[in-house]
Amino acid sequence: MRPLDPRLVRRSSTVRTHLVWSVLLGVATAVLVIVVAWCVAEVVSRRFDGDEVLLFPVAIAVAFGVRALVAWAHGVVSERAAIRVKAELRAEVVGDLLDPRRVGPRPSSGRLVALLGPGMDAFDGYVGRFLPQLGLAVIVPAAVIVVIGFADLMSAVIIAITLPLIGVFMALVGLLTRDRVERRWAQMERLSRHFSDVLDGLVVLKVFGRRQERGIREVGTRHRIESMRALGLAFLSSLVLELIATISTALVAVSVGLRVVDGNLDLRSAMFVLLLAPEAYLPVRQVGTMFHDSTEGAAATTDLLDLLEHDRHTGTLAPPSGPAPLTVRDARLTHPGRTAVSLSLDDLHVEPGEFVAIVGPSGGGKSTLLDVLLGFEQLDSGEVSVGGTPLRDIDVVAWRESVAWVPQTPHLVAGTVAANIALGQQAATDAQIAAAADDAGLDLDLRRVVREGTTDLSAGERRRLAVARALLRLRCGAAWLVLLDEPTAGLDAVHEATVLRTLRASGATVVVVSHRPDSVAAADRIVEVAA
């Protein structure tokens, strides 16, 4: 896990600006640290010699005040940067999910909730505290070592040798922590997904008397255990880093003290080195302390950037203005994270106006084929062409205007049944909406109000509503291709016959995925997708 993912710097202008400010304020902090140390050393040396120190206390007070002001500015800039970065990434994720040119599977709602909720909240520690401290840990020790080198070369060498030890132990701690943090983050995602699934199926669970308190309690307990293990490791690692820094500072102090006693080092230089030496280790120690506070934010950053990095459609050609042959050749697709091939289809050719049924075992790639035809997925190898033009070269937004789609699980929006049928076809008249509903066998009051989700209507009613929506798109829009995924599942024989008869009479090119014998028998041709 990298302390700072380069992809975040490339994507976020706020992070780039924040890093620049961190460098500038880090330089100012280093200068003030050196000035304060020099002034204090000068005061002590002059008092031992009996000289006046009238202006030096004022200079020390001013330097401390300016240093406090710089620290306050650093905190304000960091907190504002964290807020802006969270807002930017949330907006980018939402925009990416709504981007019609996006290619690839959508993440689960549970994963999104975990990323955009607790994951983004961890940015306060990551962007607001860890990244600024990382800048200080680079600038301040380097400046201190250089300045000490002019005053006492041996002390500078000791610091330069011992300082990397903290980095080595931090790397070892990071290796130990990484697995713990990944397990904790996995438990957080699992808890979020479990809770989201329980909420989605709450009505069904209640009807069948299935209580979920035990399951949620067990998942929550595992998350708590992993969190406590990570915290325990954080406390132990902080102790180790403090011990190393203390021993390193002691080495410098012993060396300086012995040489002062022997007369090989003057008091002014000795005080200057003793005051600066702890300042060389302090920023690095604080990075180690804040490392555990940042790991969850870094893990969330990696997941978010992985979510945003995917292929996009780049086609610009206009699709055919009317019905055209549809061809799929040597199609192969494997989803990320899987070893089994998700889709393997050697040849599919659909003529305009043809009714083709896609059959095969569950998990054989039938729904994946529809995703490819809709442009939601892109093939690893092979080609899809429409009217002789490769689909990858066609503007996918314009292409989808030619398609009416009935998914396996149709979705509703809050509003009336009529508004759900007319989704995307705002110019449709009441008569056209009623005709589409009647032809799909949807015997519902079109003025009935339904909520967003799928609990207000039965599975069969939702599917018939989706078929009515597709029919309206054919009649009022530019669609000529209908893609249906199990449109008659859950329908009785009468309603199934009504839907199939309407699809046959539409004259559109129809590609239907189905396991129902009657739906398959109604097709002009059957194409089998092998597992």
Side-chain angles (χ1 to χ4, degrees):
M1 188 185 302
R2 299 176 180 177
L4 178 60
D5 197 317
R7 297 176 296 174
L8 181 61
V9 179
R10 290 195 300 267
R11 280 185 174 273
S12 176
S13 60
T14 300
V15 170
R16 293 194 296 271
T17 304
H18 179 43
L19 291 177
V20 171
W21 274 108
S22 295
V23 170
L24 294 177
L25 294 172
V27 171
T29 301
V31 171
L32 290 168
V33 165
I34 295 168
V35 168
V36 169
W38 179 78
C39 288
V40 173
E42 195 70 26
V43 167
V44 174
S45 176
R46 283 174 179 257
R47 290 304 297 166
F48 265 91
D49 294 339
D51 297 334
E52 295 292 334
V53 291
L54 295 177
L55 296 179
F56 283 100
V58 176
I60 292 172
V62 171
F64 271 116
V66 175
R67 186 175 177 182
L69 185 63
V70 169
W72 172 82
H74 213 163
V76 170
V77 169
S78 301
E79 291 299 327
R80 289 182 177 178
I83 293 171
R84 290 197 188 99
V85 169
K86 288 194 293 185
E88 285 178 1
L89 287 179
R90 281 191 176 116
E92 191 170 358
V93 169
V94 173
D96 178 77
L97 294 174
L98 297 176
D99 185 2
R101 300 185 184 279
R102 188 184 195 279
V103 177
R106 263 60 175 174
S108 66
S109 58
R111 184 187 178 196
L112 280 176
V113 169
L115 280 176
L116 299 182
M120 296 298 286
D121 290 340
F123 268 58
D124 293 332
Y126 179 59
V127 177
R129 292 184 288 274
F130 178 72
L131 291 185
Q133 191 60 42
L134 200 61
L136 290 177
V138 173
I139 297 169
V140 174
V144 168
I145 290 173
V146 170
V147 173
I148 289 178
F150 286 103
D152 180 25
L153 184 59
M154 182 177 292
S155 297
V157 171
I158 293 174
I159 295 174
I161 292 174
T162 56
L163 191 62
L165 292 177
I166 298 180
V168 171
F169 277 91
M170 282 177 58
L172 294 175
V173 168
L175 292 176
L176 290 173
T177 306
R178 180 180 59 191
D179 293 338
R180 293 283 175 88
V181 170
E182 288 178 353
R183 285 201 296 269
R184 180 176 179 273
W185 183 245
Q187 290 294 343
M188 172 69 80
E189 285 194 341
R190 190 172 294 113
L191 177 62
S192 179
R193 287 197 299 267
H194 185 78
F195 190 65
S196 178
D197 290 342
V198 169
L199 288 180
D200 288 341
L202 193 59
V203 174
V204 176
L205 293 171
K206 186 176 180 180
V207 168
F208 286 94
R210 299 296 298 272
R211 302 179 66 85
Q212 292 295 308
E213 293 94 334
R214 180 180 176 184
I216 294 177
R217 188 183 303 114
E218 289 177 353
V219 176
T221 300
R222 288 197 295 268
H223 176 257
R224 178 180 56 79
I225 291 172
E226 293 298 336
S227 298
M228 295 305 296
R229 286 176 178 171
L231 285 174
L233 187 60
F235 290 137
L236 289 175
S237 61
S238 297
L239 175 63
V240 171
L241 295 179
E242 290 289 339
L243 182 62
I244 295 172
T246 302
I247 293 174
S248 301
T249 305
L251 288 175
V252 175
V254 170
S255 170
V256 168
L258 291 175
R259 281 180 291 136
V260 169
V261 172
D262 291 339
N264 296 326
L265 188 65
D266 63 278
L267 181 60
R268 180 184 291 104
S269 298
M271 286 298 301
F272 185 57
V273 171
L274 288 175
L275 290 169
L276 275 185
E279 298 290 349
Y281 298 103
L282 180 61
V284 183
R285 284 161 47 199
Q286 289 180 335
V287 165
T289 303
M290 295 178 181
F291 173 76
H292 300 280
D293 190 28
S294 72
T295 47
E296 189 171 332
T301 299
T302 301
D303 276 5
L304 278 170
L305 295 175
D306 290 342
L307 180 66
L308 292 170
E309 289 199 345
H310 51 77
D311 294 332
R312 296 182 186 276
H313 288 284
T314 57
T316 56
L317 298 180
S321 57
L326 184 66
T327 304
V328 180
R329 295 192 184 281
D330 301 322
R332 300 292 184 273
L333 173 63
T334 302
H335 285 112
R338 299 182 185 179
T339 56
V341 176
S342 301
L343 173 63
S344 176
L345 182 61
D346 294 328
D347 182 68
L348 170 65
H349 184 80
V350 183
E351 289 292 338
E354 193 175 13
F355 192 126
V356 176
I358 307 296
V359 300
S362 297
K366 302 184 297 299
S367 297
T368 303
L369 173 62
L370 297 189
D371 289 341
V372 170
L373 296 178
L374 283 161
F376 295 149
E377 301 275 6
Q378 282 188 337
L379 296 173
D380 297 329
S381 62
E383 185 177 78
V384 178
S385 61
V386 183
T389 303
L391 183 59
R392 64 175 178 273
D393 297 333
I394 295 176
D395 183 349
V396 71
V397 177
W399 161 244
R400 288 174 186 156
E401 293 294 328
S402 305
V403 181
W405 178 41
V406 178
Q408 197 170 60
T409 305
H411 293 277
L412 305 178
V413 296
T416 63
V417 172
N420 274 273
I421 295 174
L423 191 65
Q425 305 296 328
Q426 303 303 322
T429 65
D430 293 341
Q432 291 172 322
I433 296 172
D438 185 61
D439 291 341
L442 185 64
D443 45 359
L444 293 175
D445 183 359
L446 298 181
R447 295 169 297 179
R448 175 180 171 182
V449 177
V450 295
R451 294 169 295 176
E452 184 176 357
T454 57
T455 58
D456 284 349
L457 301 180
S458 69
E461 288 171 335
R462 293 196 304 272
R463 287 192 172 91
R464 280 178 282 154
L465 188 149
V467 171
R469 187 185 291 166
L471 292 174
L472 190 65
R473 189 173 178 85
L474 285 173
R475 297 167 182 177
C476 299
W480 52 266
L481 172 64
V482 185
L483 303 178
L484 307 102
D485 195 351
E486 301 288 359
T488 59
L491 301 187
D492 56 40
V494 174
H495 285 113
E496 181 179 18
T498 300
V499 169
L500 294 174
R501 183 170 58 251
T502 300
L503 291 174
R504 292 287 307 178
S506 67
T509 304
V510 178
V511 177
V512 59
V513 169
S514 183
H515 289 97
R516 300 280 292 243
D518 290 346
S519 298
V520 174
D524 298 324
R525 188 158 48 90
I526 301 171
V527 175
E528 184 173 0
V529 176

